[in-house]
């Protein structure tokens, strides 16, 4: 009886160990699946975002680093999966640090490139004009409401540029609208008591090209100097 019980116990222990080993292997597979799935999702999302930016006319300067080594590791994993799936639990390299994390790093670098591309696009196509000029013009009570309007539009552009848009085509259209409204706000600047020549110079100073030097007449210069505004304007060559 004791021998039979001992034999039965030994059998149960063996079965338990087998089940435990199988459970451990299954857990490794689940871990690999989660790691690979997360990395794949990030790459797919980054690739789709780059395509959306390109379609919207925004150039993205991005070349992933060390991609050849990652491709080789991916091919190794595919071979293992085809010939010996159990081997995925223990590949010939650290799956997380040498593959999954590096793939995620490529996706993160792509997202950083998207942000840089968008900010560059806004800088190149956004509204012109100097914040220093606005600071100076805000001291003139006659122009204060117009300056507030211009600042509001500039702040909205800054918020738009803060992060890469999920819908770059819509963001490009929104930027164009804000630039148009910004241009109109500068064109609408006017006030009683300010000479027309001065208003013309101020309006043009807020444009993308700036005010031509020919508008800085002696009348305009004297008017600006008398109100301590002349130092707010800068001569730009080219």
């Amino acid at each position: 009886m004791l021998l039979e019980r001992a034999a039965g116990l030994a059998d149960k222990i063996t079965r338990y160990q087998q089940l435990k080993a199988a459970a451990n292997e299954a857990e490794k597979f689940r871990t690999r699946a989660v790691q690979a799935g997360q990395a794949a999702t990030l790459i797919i999302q980054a690739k789709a975002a780059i395509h959306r930016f390109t379609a919207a006319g925004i150039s993205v300067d991005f070349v992933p680093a060390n991609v050849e080594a990652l491709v080789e590791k991916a091919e190794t994993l595919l071979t293992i999966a085809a010939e010996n799936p159990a081997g995925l639990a223990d590949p010939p390299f650290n799956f997380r640090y040498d593959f999954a994390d590096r793939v995620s790093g490529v996706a993160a670098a792509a997202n950083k490139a998207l942000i840089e591309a968008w900010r560059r696009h806004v800088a190149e196509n956004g509204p012109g004009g100097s914040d220093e000029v606005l600071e100076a013009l805000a001291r003139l009570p006659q122009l204060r409401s117009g300056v507030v309007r211009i600042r509001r539009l500039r702040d909205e552009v800054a918020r738009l540029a803060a992060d890469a848009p999920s819908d770059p085509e819509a963001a490009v259209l929104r930027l164009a609208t804000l630039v148009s409204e910004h241009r109109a706000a500068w064109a609408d600047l006017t006030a009683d008591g300010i000479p027309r020549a001065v208003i013309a110079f101020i309006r043009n100073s807020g444009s993308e090209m700036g005010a031509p030097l020919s508008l800085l007449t002696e009348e305009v210069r004297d008017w600006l100097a008398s109100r301590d505004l002349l130092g707010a304007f800068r001569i730009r060559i080219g």
Side-chain angles (χ1 to χ4, degrees):
M1 180 67 71
L2 180 60
L3 185 59
E4 292 177 354
R5 289 180 179 274
L9 179 59
D11 182 58
K12 287 182 178 181
I13 291 174
T14 300
R15 289 172 59 193
Y16 171 75
Q17 290 174 335
Q18 291 173 341
L19 290 172
K20 184 178 180 180
N24 289 337
E25 290 300 313
E27 183 60 31
K28 287 182 179 180
F29 277 112
R30 280 193 292 270
T31 299
R32 296 288 180 262
V34 170
Q35 293 170 340
Q38 291 174 341
T41 297
L42 292 174
I43 283 291
I44 291 170
Q45 291 174 343
K47 181 179 179 181
I50 291 175
H51 286 169
R52 289 196 300 271
F53 268 57
T54 302
I58 304 171
S59 176
V60 180
D61 184 14
F62 175 67
V63 178
N66 301 321
V67 69
E68 294 83 4
L70 285 176
V71 170
E72 288 181 5
K73 287 182 172 61
E75 291 175 347
T76 297
L77 292 172
L78 289 172
T79 300
I80 293 173
E83 298 177 354
N84 179 28
L88 290 174
D90 189 24
F93 49 82
N94 189 303
F95 187 92
R96 177 184 173 186
Y97 294 105
D98 293 336
F99 183 71
D101 284 357
R102 291 182 183 274
V103 172
S104 297
V106 170
N111 289 328
K112 182 179 179 181
L114 289 171
I115 294 174
E116 293 173 351
W118 173 240
R119 290 177 179 172
R120 182 171 60 250
H121 179 84
V122 173
E124 294 173 353
N125 298 276
S130 165
D131 290 331
E132 189 176 3
V133 171
L134 284 177
E135 288 287 343
L137 297 181
R139 300 201 296 267
L140 299 174
Q142 309 100 307
L143 298 179
R144 197 161 294 155
S145 62
V147 169
V148 168
R149 178 186 172 194
I150 292 170
R151 279 177 170 168
R152 177 181 58 79
L153 291 167
R154 293 172 75 86
D155 288 344
E156 192 165 347
V157 170
R159 287 193 295 272
L160 186 65
D163 201 3
S166 58
D167 186 347
E169 187 173 348
V172 167
L173 293 175
R174 180 58 183 157
L175 177 62
T177 298
L178 290 172
V179 169
S180 179
E181 292 177 0
H182 182 270
R183 189 179 298 116
W186 275 99
D188 290 343
L189 278 180
T190 186
D192 295 335
I194 298 180
R196 290 184 177 180
V198 175
I199 287 293
F201 177 80
I202 290 174
R203 285 176 175 171
N204 280 272
S205 69
S207 68
E208 288 77 6
M209 298 300 296
L213 197 58
S214 59
L215 291 181
L216 186 61
T217 63
E218 185 175 350
E219 176 191 12
V220 172
R221 188 183 185 285
D222 290 346
W223 192 94
L224 293 173
S226 67
R227 289 158 179 81
D228 196 28
L229 296 176
L230 191 60
F233 297 88
R234 298 285 183 268
I235 295 176
R236 185 178 65 200
I237 299 176

